Amino acid sequence: YYRILARHLEQAISPAVDQKGNRVSKKMARDAAVNLIRIIADQGHDTDAERNAAFTVGTRIFGDWAGNPEIQISSDQTVEKLNEALNTLSCINAAGRQSLIEAVIETVAHDGELTVMEGELLRAVCASLDCPLPPLLSTSQEFD
């Protein structure tokens, strides 16, 4: 929630700030994107097998650009690492953002369930990237 609030406040203070001069290298963007998918896979799935499968599905969206990322899902996926990844990814172009959102959605949707945690992570990612939230959440859907 902090991430979403901070992003909205930044936009309210400086709505016309141009980020074109604030680019990152392809390697930094790739590392941040893969780390984000790791975090999403870790938070949204209970077993190592589910996490690994979700990570593989999510990174497959990136194609050759992702290289051959190692799964390496561990318990050290922290809010700080999520913020680092999102700060880096906020500087990528529109096509990169679209691919990233698709990868996050595929990772979240891998097991056919959308938990509250996954929904909130998706909301934070979309807010951080200035992208509208895809229509995944239904008001009639019950969450665990």
Side-chain angles (χ1 to χ4, degrees):
Y1 292 118
Y2 171 78
R3 180 88 194 173
I4 295 167
L5 179 61
R7 186 66 185 146
H8 287 298
L9 289 174
E10 287 172 10
Q11 289 175 336
I13 293 169
S14 302
V17 173
D18 183 9
Q19 292 188 357
K20 288 184 180 180
N22 194 15
R23 297 284 182 212
V24 295
S25 71
K26 287 182 182 180
K27 181 185 180 337
M28 285 179 65
R30 179 178 47 243
D31 291 347
V34 169
N35 284 336
L36 178 62
I37 298 303
R38 279 189 189 111
I39 292 167
I40 301 291
D42 180 48
Q43 294 299 313
H45 301 88
D46 295 328
T47 67
D48 286 342
E50 290 173 348
R51 290 179 187 109
N52 294 344
F55 176 79
T56 300
V57 167
T59 55
R60 192 176 299 144
I61 297 296
F62 300 140
D64 292 337
W65 179 76
N68 191 15
E70 294 181 27
I71 294 171
Q72 298 177 339
I73 294 177
S74 66
S75 61
D76 70 341
Q77 305 299 341
T78 62
V79 172
E80 290 82 21
K81 289 191 180 205
L82 175 64
N83 280 331
E84 288 173 16
L86 291 174
N87 286 338
T88 300
L89 294 168
S90 68
C91 299
I92 62 176
N93 63 26
R97 290 172 189 223
Q98 180 179 348
S99 293
L100 183 63
I101 297 297
E102 288 174 15
V104 170
I105 290 170
E106 288 296 320
T107 304
V108 166
H110 170 71
D111 60 0
E113 295 180 28
L114 178 65
T115 65
V116 172
M117 174 69 78
E118 289 171 323
E120 292 306 321
L121 280 170
L122 179 58
R123 184 186 316 273
V125 169
C126 290
S128 296
L129 299 177
D130 296 325
C131 295
L133 181 65
L136 292 177
L137 302 176
S138 169
T139 57
S140 63
Q141 188 175 18
E142 288 188 32
F143 294 105
D144 298 352

